[in-house]
Each structure stands twice: as C-alpha cells, then as structure tokens.
Amino acid sequence: MIKQMMKQHLKTTWTHIRRAPYQALAATLIMVLTFFVATIFVLTAAGSQAILNWFETRPQVTAFFEDKVTMEQVDILRAKLAQTGKIKEAKYVSKEEALAIYREQNKNDPLLLEMVTANILPASLEVSTTNISYLGEIAQILRQESGVEEVIFQEDVVRSLHEWTNVLRKVGVGLIATLGGVSLLIILVIIGMKVALRREEIEILQLLGGTNWYIRAPFIFEGIFYGVVGAILAWGISYLLLLYSTPFLVGFLAGIPILPVPFLFMLALLGAEILVGALIGTLGSLIAVRRYLK
Amino acid sequence: MIKFENVSKKFGEVATLDKVNFELKPGEFVFIIGPSGAGKTTLVKLILKDYLPTAGTIKIGRINLEEIPKRKIPDYRRKIGVVFQDFKLLPDRTVFENIALALRIFGEKETEIIPKVTEVLGLVGLGERADFFPAQLSAGELQRTCLARAIIGSPEIVLADEPTGNLDLGTARQIVKLLKKINEMGKTIIMTTHNFEIVNQMKERVIELDKGKLISDQKKGKYHFK
C-alpha cells in the first residue's frame, strides 16, 4: 500500500512540475546557484586546509652552516634544540644530500645542473617545531650559534595561510547560510503559489477524506525534487570545472600535492549536498503547505 | 442514524441554522428544501464536519460529531459520499480518474480500483465516457460522474447538495432516479433542493427550512407543494 501511495504521489508531483515548467526551472536554478557556491567554497576551504597541513609538515626553520662546521658541533646544536622540548624533528642535510635535492628539483633543466658541485652548497639543519608559535624562538637560538651562516623560516607564510583559511571559512559559512535562506524562501514562495493555484483541488481532496499528509505529500516531494536536482547539477558542474582546471592548478601550486581531489571526497560532498538539498526542499514546502492547510 | 438536537450555526450575529431538530433512520431518502439562504448548505456542511455547530449536537449513529478529533475527520468523511451542485471534479483528470481518486485516497489496491470503477460507471450509465475529461461532458454527465465518485467507497450516507441546480428538468429527473436507485441499495440519501417538481414527483420525506429554522418535517408521501 505504501509503495502504491508513493507511486501515486510521485506521479502527481511530476504532473505538478510538468505543468509549471518555468517555476520549476526557477526553483532548480536557485538551488543550483546555492550549491555551486557551496561546492566551490567547500573545495577552496578543504584545499587551503590541505595546503596548510602540507606547509606544517615541511621543515619550518632551516639553518645553513658555514663550511668549517663539524658533525660534532651539529650534534651539540641538535641536543641543545632537543632540550627546549619545542621541536618535532631536526634533520641534518649534508652537502651531498643538498646536491642530490638540487639535482632532483632541477632535473629538467640541464643548464642549471652544470658546474654545480657539492662544495658550493651549504650543509643545513631542517627543524620542525611542535607548534608554529615556537618558530621565532628556535630561529633566534640558531642565529646565535657560531658556524650558522643563515637562518630562514616560514612563519609568515604559515601564519598568513592560517588567517586566510579562517577568513575563507567564515565568509563561506556566511554566504552559504544566506544563499540557503534565499533558496528556502524561493521554494516556499513557489510551492505556496502552487498550493494557492490548487486550492480547489485541495478542497475536493479534503471533502473526499484525503488526510493532510495525503494532500501535502506531492508538494513536499516537489520541494525535495528541486533541492536534490539542484544539488546534483551544481555538484556535477563544479566537479567538471575542477577537473578542467586541475592541470592549471597543479602548475600554480608548484609541487604542493593536493590535487587531484580524491573521488571519495567528492562523493561524500555529493551525499552531503543531496541531504541538505532535500532538507531545504522539505522545509520550504512544509512551511508553504502548512500555511494553507491550517 | 443522523440526529440533529437543537443545532444552531451562527456566523457573527447571523444565524444560518436556528435550533434545528430532526432524526433520520438508516436507508431513508429525505429532501431538505427551502429558498436560498434557508440554511440547506450549512446543514450539509455541518454533517460533513466542514463547519462546527455553534450550539446543539449532531450524532451520526452513536458518534457525536463534536467528539471526532481533527485528525480523524478524513476517516469520518470517507464514510460519507458527497454530490455537489458545481460537481467539484478535477478538470485535468478523466472521468475514470476522478472516480478512482476517491478509492486512491482510501488506499485501495490498484487491482481493485479498475473493476470497482467500471462497475460504478455502468451503474450511472457512463461506461462509454470513462476516458473523457470533464470539459467534454454535458452537465448531466458531470453530475453522474460526481454521483459515481460519491458512491464508489460504499458509504452509508450520500449527501447531495443541490445536485440538480445546474440541470434541466429532464436531466434532473435522471439524476434523482439514480439517487433513488442508490437509496434502494440501502443508502441514506439527504438531498437539498429547491426543485419542487422533483420533490412532488418523488413523494419522499421532506424537511423544510426557512431562515435557518425547521418549519416542517413531512413524512414520506405527505408533502405536496402547490
């Protein structure tokens, strides 16, 4: 009986949609817009978080040694740093290892490989801290050491990325909430108009003994339809756009390995968007129908 | 079966029904007559629980209508067939679909809907018009469709609110004959009308209303309008 009722309601829902195609198009498009913006923001936020994570796993302070520095001095320095309890790792990179890294980085440019030997590259100590706020302190210790020629660290980059990610999240949540609210209102208005247009039909159904749920169901299914179709279309468009721009983004991110976006992540995003779309559709149509069936 | 006890219905200060009392037995055929504004439609809507009485009680069998909770109204209405003066058919559905709608609302199985609708279509003489849309039917055919929809769920009571109001005399007689046929199947028929020719011809029980008051209740065969 439930299966038969569902079939009946779905048929009525489809008739409602088919008979007012422009209203259906307007409702679907606004949902597409909402979910498109939402998808782009989620991808951007996830991307910047991944970039941040990548930066945090990189050596955050690098101290380059003068040629005269011995391994014993390096070991003393490592022990001194370990005593602070603020470092995660301190990795020594010898001149030979530095050359190997240099060669790997420039393997496609033979001109840059010519004339470069291990002697002209400095040995270094790559230090990562347990918290990014310790970077300045560790850099200061390294600078004061004799035999350390230069100290570089990425505090600014990481800090800026942190700030950007936070701002992006806040703006994204605000924009998605606003668009979600607008979508809800549009669904409410469109379903409300349809309910008003079908006032006589609703009255007949009530007089024949139709329950409120029997009358509400096709309108609620219609709201869900707009939400779900909008979410799927927006996800599809965003994913196509992402796949299309992946080669450009890979070049732009220059070695930061966050692309391609895993398909499972995209699938989870689709699932979440379908759920939210159905929720917006249900809520909008429920409010619209309740107003009339009071 | 149906009992009105001191039933009044007021809209603001205007009383459309004023202390109306009557009782109907199962299987009775009764005409509710009176001029426009007499309270005929109000009476029908009170039985349908579309309106609530301002005072008095209405009982259908042992049930006091006041005691039926809001969520149970659909269940109650499924036990009553209704025929409207303006037909109230869905214009975008065929005769078959309009009649089947009542069964679909009841959650009847699709396999049972086809034979039941076909049977009722035969009863009202619309077998050939099953696939027609309301716009393609005459007024008499529309009313017969409405009648078929009213009886498809085998209700004990059929309310006909001015079913002949939009029909010529010949067609009106056909509709009333059909109602009589349904009455002979054991159904209680309450028909509001101001078509006195039909009332005179049928010689059934007649309840007369005027300005909301019950002014006469004539037993079967006793009423004759001059």
Side-chain angles (χ1 to χ4, degrees):
Chain A
M1 188 172 134
I2 293 171
K3 197 178 155 193
Q4 186 189 317
M5 279 278 186
M6 282 293 281
K7 206 173 148 190
Q8 205 184 118
H9 290 318
L10 289 174
K11 198 178 159 195
T12 313
T13 306
W14 183 240
T15 310
H16 286 186
I17 293 167
R18 219 164 28 89
R19 296 218 169 124
Y22 294 114
Q23 286 175 1
L25 193 69
T28 310
L29 282 180
I30 193 79
M31 294 305 276
V32 169
L33 179 71
T34 302
F35 282 105
F36 179 71
V37 173
T39 311
I40 297 296
F41 265 98
V42 168
L43 287 175
T44 315
S48 47
Q49 186 60 51
I51 293 171
L52 193 64
N53 292 344
W54 183 82
F55 266 104
E56 281 175 347
T57 59
R58 301 282 92 194
Q60 292 152 347
V61 187
T62 309
F64 294 99
F65 296 115
E66 291 168 0
D67 287 348
K68 61 179 185 190
V69 170
T70 62
M71 252 338 265
E72 285 75 33
Q73 282 177 291
V74 172
D75 287 338
I76 291 167
L77 178 60
R78 281 167 96 170
K80 193 176 174 183
L81 289 174
Q83 272 180 350
T84 63
K86 292 173 180 172
I87 66 159
K88 198 156 64 184
E89 197 185 2
K91 188 189 167 201
Y92 176 72
V93 180
S94 67
K95 283 171 165 285
E96 288 71 26
E97 284 166 337
L99 180 66
I101 294 167
Y102 179 82
R103 282 194 172 138
E104 177 59 29
Q105 283 176 347
N106 299 291
K107 62 184 175 192
N108 298 325
D109 202 343
L111 214 70
L112 289 174
L113 297 176
E114 278 177 25
M115 309 292 288
V116 177
T117 62
N119 281 335
I120 65 163
L121 294 169
S124 60
L125 191 65
E126 292 180 342
V127 184
S128 54
T129 56
T130 51
N131 190 304
I132 120 172
S133 62
Y134 303 147
L135 285 177
E137 193 184 327
I138 298 297
Q140 197 54 38
I141 294 170
L142 290 168
R143 275 195 195 106
Q144 284 164 1
E145 281 299 311
S146 62
V148 171
E149 195 174 32
E150 191 189 1
V151 175
I152 57 165
F153 71 103
Q154 302 160 345
E155 188 185 27
D156 290 346
V157 178
V158 176
R159 202 154 272 163
S160 298
L161 259 172
H162 252 301
E163 281 165 12
W164 272 106
T165 309
N166 282 338
V167 169
L168 203 71
R169 274 192 200 136
K170 281 175 190 161
V171 171
V173 167
L175 200 68
I176 291 166
T178 309
L179 280 170
V182 172
S183 307
L184 187 80
L185 273 177
I186 300 259
I187 297 269
L188 200 151
V189 168
I190 288 177
I191 301 286
M193 276 166 69
K194 291 196 170 194
V195 171
L197 279 172
R198 295 190 171 265
R199 193 171 293 188
E200 207 185 332
E201 184 177 330
I202 291 171
E203 190 198 335
I204 294 170
L205 291 174
Q206 283 176 326
L207 289 172
L208 291 179
T211 59
N212 275 354
W213 276 109
Y214 181 90
I215 296 163
R216 280 174 191 166
F219 294 106
I220 293 168
F221 285 161
E222 193 175 345
I224 293 174
F225 174 86
Y226 296 140
V228 170
V229 169
I232 293 172
L233 284 178
W235 178 85
I237 295 167
S238 314
Y239 198 23
L240 280 178
L241 211 66
L242 178 69
L243 291 176
Y244 180 75
S245 54
T246 294
F248 162 76
L249 289 172
V250 167
F252 178 76
L253 292 168
I256 302 173
I258 62 160
L259 288 167
V261 176
F263 186 66
L264 262 180
F265 174 82
M266 289 306 290
L267 221 55
L269 186 61
L270 174 68
E273 287 184 351
I274 287 177
L275 211 69
V276 174
L279 203 72
I280 292 178
T282 308
L283 205 64
S285 45
L286 252 181
I287 297 169
V289 181
R290 267 183 76 100
R291 275 184 64 202
Y292 184 72
L293 289 180
K294 250 180 189 175
Chain B
M1 172 148 214
I2 300 177
K3 196 173 182 184
F4 270 55
E5 288 176 328
N6 284 320
V7 174
S8 298
K9 177 67 187 171
K10 280 184 178 177
F11 291 98
E13 287 305 305
V14 183
T16 50
L17 273 188
D18 191 10
K19 291 177 186 162
V20 171
N21 288 286
F22 67 85
E23 194 172 348
L24 301 183
K25 291 188 184 87
E28 259 194 287
F29 191 127
V30 61
F31 286 109
I32 310 285
I33 63 165
S36 293
K40 303 187 294 289
T41 300
T42 303
L43 190 141
V44 168
K45 289 194 169 183
L46 282 168
I47 296 175
L48 263 177
K49 209 168 173 0
D50 204 14
Y51 290 160
L52 292 172
T54 314
T57 51
I58 304 168
K59 284 183 180 166
I60 309 286
R62 287 179 186 172
I63 307 162
N64 183 344
L65 289 201
E66 252 183 292
E67 288 165 8
I68 299 175
K70 211 175 169 185
R71 64 190 163 81
K72 290 279 179 193
I73 294 174
D75 289 337
Y76 163 70
R77 285 186 181 158
R78 288 173 193 185
K79 293 172 189 156
I80 298 174
V82 200
V83 182
F84 306 95
Q85 181 180 4
D86 57 352
F87 319 121
K88 292 201 189 299
L89 295 170
L90 300 179
D92 56 352
R93 303 201 195 177
T94 63
V95 167
F96 186 95
E97 287 167 337
N98 264 290
I99 299 167
L101 180 69
L103 291 178
R104 290 200 170 112
I105 287 174
F106 303 164
E108 194 87 32
K109 284 182 186 163
E110 278 302 314
T111 47
E112 286 171 25
I113 288 176
I114 297 171
K116 280 191 179 176
V117 176
T118 310
E119 189 192 333
V120 172
L121 278 171
L123 183 73
V124 298
L126 281 176
E128 304 289 308
R129 298 280 191 271
D131 296 326
F132 281 44
F133 285 93
Q136 297 168 309
L137 301 176
S138 68
E141 288 168 336
L142 286 169
Q143 199 53 285
R144 277 189 278 159
T145 308
C146 193
L147 199 53
R149 186 183 61 188
I151 60 168
I152 189 88
S154 304
E156 288 304 306
I157 303 164
V158 175
L159 295 175
D161 188 17
E162 301 268 11
T164 57
N166 285 337
L167 309 176
D168 60 72
L169 190 60
T171 316
R173 279 184 185 140
Q174 285 175 15
I175 293 296
V176 177
K177 268 184 195 168
L178 263 175
L179 279 167
K180 183 63 196 166
K181 201 167 150 185
I182 294 161
N183 173 239
E184 282 162 3
M185 294 165 153
K187 315 284 181 197
T188 305
I189 310 283
I190 301 169
M191 175 174 157
T192 70
T193 185
H194 45 235
N195 189 329
F196 294 104
E197 281 187 53
I198 282 175
V199 176
N200 283 343
Q201 189 190 336
M202 294 297 291
K203 301 194 186 309
E204 296 290 346
R205 180 177 169 186
V206 178
I207 291 174
E208 192 172 1
L209 297 174
D210 191 23
K211 291 175 187 161
K213 288 186 188 295
L214 193 155
I215 54 169
S216 78
D217 185 352
Q218 302 286 327
K219 285 181 184 160
K220 193 170 177 171
K222 297 284 180 191
Y223 182 87
H224 192 85
F225 179 77
K226 290 161 194 168

